Amino acid sequence: MNGEQILTVHEAARSWQPNRNAPEALAHTVEWLTRLQVHTPRAERYATLSAWAYPLAPLPELELAYDIHAFFRIYDDFTDDLAADIGRINVIGAELTGILYGRPARSHLGMIFDDLWTRQITSSPDQWVARVREHWEWYFNTQAAYAAMRDRRLDTTVEEYLELRLGNGAVPLCLVFGEKANRTYLAPHVHHCTQLRLLRTLTSDIIVYCNDVYSSVRDAKRADPRNLITIIRDQEGCDWHAARARCEQEMRALDQSIHTTKQRLDTACDVLRFTGAERAQARMGARIADDWNWGYQAWAAANELLMDTDPPREEISRLLTSPQAA
């Protein structure tokens, strides 16, 4: 079974091309992971998503993006290993959140993130730093809620799950990072333009649907209910194929909403009397969302089903020093 058999790949994703700096960025991240003693095949593979999601990024920014995506895989696998220990997940989240506000790292994991955070904020505008800080905080402090979804008493709805994944799935964080990756920082009034905010939410939702169709194949092996396929099956009493068809239908609807919202963004630029420079920023904000939408779908078709087959999966918790109380 391959990606094409799991989910119909949109034509825009079929023709998507990754960043030409991909080989150099991957070599950098493999060295970075090895030096930090947290290299795993899964982390290396997940890092390659950056080349598809940031096709225009210059090499230095792409290297940082690769490192960040490797960190996502390390951190997510680490908290998955701690699934039953919600309190400890919150302690880890508190330490990493503290680093965002200048507190020192207290663990191996904290030292890894401290390195990433320092590199993100170097030469970045204060207003952008504030935005990306908020998104990292959102990501760190939804890990316990995501782990708790294994308890079926919660009976999570589609709406609740999509809201959780806005933070936990980190797509809005990656879209904000796209400003740094493309060396185009959006002014606050452009970033918070209603249509751009909606584009970021729609893009996150469509990627969650895409991810969860693929991950449901892996999750079924571990009886992991934390995906939209399981939620839809439970709510509608249908089988996997019907739930997958529902996901594809929702993805098509979201794609149409994205198209409409981008048209409305053009009108909003007129109504808000954006200057030429502000319009260019708004267009870049929309381009970043497009890059992530189609780039992720292209990467997922080739890689998502392989995430659990990279030999062998080392338990991340064994590679990291146990965190102490923050």
Side-chain angles (χ1 to χ4, degrees):
M1 183 179 292
N2 59 39
E4 291 281 348
Q5 295 170 315
I6 294 295
L7 188 66
T8 303
V9 180
H10 194 284
E11 182 59 34
R14 290 177 187 273
S15 59
W16 203 255
Q17 295 297 313
N19 193 302
R20 61 184 179 82
N21 295 311
E24 294 89 342
L26 180 59
H28 158 85
T29 295
V30 169
E31 187 280 328
W32 181 75
L33 290 168
T34 302
R35 174 163 44 85
L36 294 171
Q37 300 180 322
V38 288
H39 179 270
T40 69
R42 281 166 57 82
E44 180 179 336
R45 182 180 295 277
Y46 198 71
T48 65
L49 168 57
S50 297
W52 296 88
Y54 302 118
L56 303 179
L59 181 58
E61 284 73 17
L62 188 65
E63 289 176 343
L64 177 56
Y66 263 65
D67 292 351
I68 288 172
H69 277 82
F71 175 81
F72 283 142
R73 187 72 273 147
I74 292 165
Y75 185 62
D76 287 353
D77 285 351
F78 189 36
T79 54
D80 272 352
D81 289 343
L82 303 176
D85 195 343
I86 300 296
R88 190 173 172 205
I89 291 174
N90 281 330
V91 167
I92 295 165
E95 178 192 353
L96 299 182
T97 300
I99 291 168
L100 298 170
Y101 297 94
R103 292 196 285 274
R106 302 171 60 117
S107 68
H108 190 174
L109 189 64
M111 292 174 62
I112 294 169
F113 180 68
D114 186 65
D115 171 70
L116 288 177
W117 180 240
T118 299
R119 290 157 60 198
Q120 285 171 79
I121 64 178
T122 299
S123 301
S124 298
D126 290 345
Q127 291 167 328
W128 181 84
V129 171
R131 284 205 292 271
V132 78
R133 177 187 287 120
E134 178 184 3
H135 281 286
W136 274 114
E137 182 173 331
W138 194 5
Y139 170 68
F140 291 137
N141 291 282
T142 52
Q143 294 297 325
Y146 186 60
M149 274 192 66
R150 288 188 176 89
D151 188 330
R152 302 303 290 273
R153 292 176 299 171
L154 193 57
D155 192 25
T156 304
T157 67
V158 169
E159 293 74 21
E160 289 172 334
Y161 182 73
L162 289 174
E163 172 60 28
L164 170 63
R165 294 292 274 165
L166 273 174
N168 175 263
V171 174
L173 165 59
C174 294
L175 296 177
V176 170
F177 180 79
E179 297 176 41
K180 186 177 184 72
N182 289 285
R183 295 180 177 175
T184 304
Y185 295 101
L186 276 58
H189 66 285
V190 177
H191 172 80
H192 291 294
C193 175
T194 300
Q195 290 71 31
L196 279 179
R197 291 185 67 93
L198 183 56
L199 271 179
R200 291 191 290 270
T201 298
L202 292 168
T203 300
S204 175
D205 287 353
I206 203 170
I207 288 173
V208 169
Y209 273 102
C210 179
N211 172 81
D212 282 20
V213 171
Y214 289 116
S215 66
S216 69
V217 178
R218 304 193 308 269
D219 292 344
K221 301 173 185 177
R222 301 189 294 272
D224 190 338
R226 300 174 301 165
N227 61 73
L228 282 164
I229 292 287
T230 299
I231 293 171
I232 292 169
R233 292 183 66 180
D234 287 348
Q235 289 185 350
E236 300 187 6
C238 60
D239 62 13
W240 184 90
H241 295 283
R244 180 197 57 78
R246 162 74 183 280
C247 288
E248 285 202 336
Q249 178 183 358
E250 293 295 333
M251 289 177 68
R252 287 193 294 271
L254 287 164
D255 182 45
Q256 183 57 48
S257 294
I258 288 172
H259 178 71
T260 301
T261 302
K262 286 163 65 178
Q263 291 179 323
R264 291 182 63 79
L265 175 63
D266 289 338
T267 303
C269 288
D270 292 335
V271 173
L272 294 169
R273 300 180 183 179
F274 279 2
T275 65
E278 290 167 335
R279 287 174 182 270
Q281 291 178 20
R283 286 194 295 270
M284 176 55 78
R287 169 65 195 259
I288 290 168
D290 268 351
D291 287 350
W292 254 91
N293 181 12
W294 304 125
Y296 179 82
Q297 292 190 51
W299 177 88
N303 290 277
E304 275 289 0
L305 294 180
L306 299 175
M307 288 300 293
D308 274 354
T309 62
D310 290 328
R313 176 183 174 181
E314 299 176 85
E315 292 300 330
I316 275 289
S317 58
R318 296 177 183 173
L319 304 180
L320 295 166
T321 302
S322 296
Q324 301 173 9

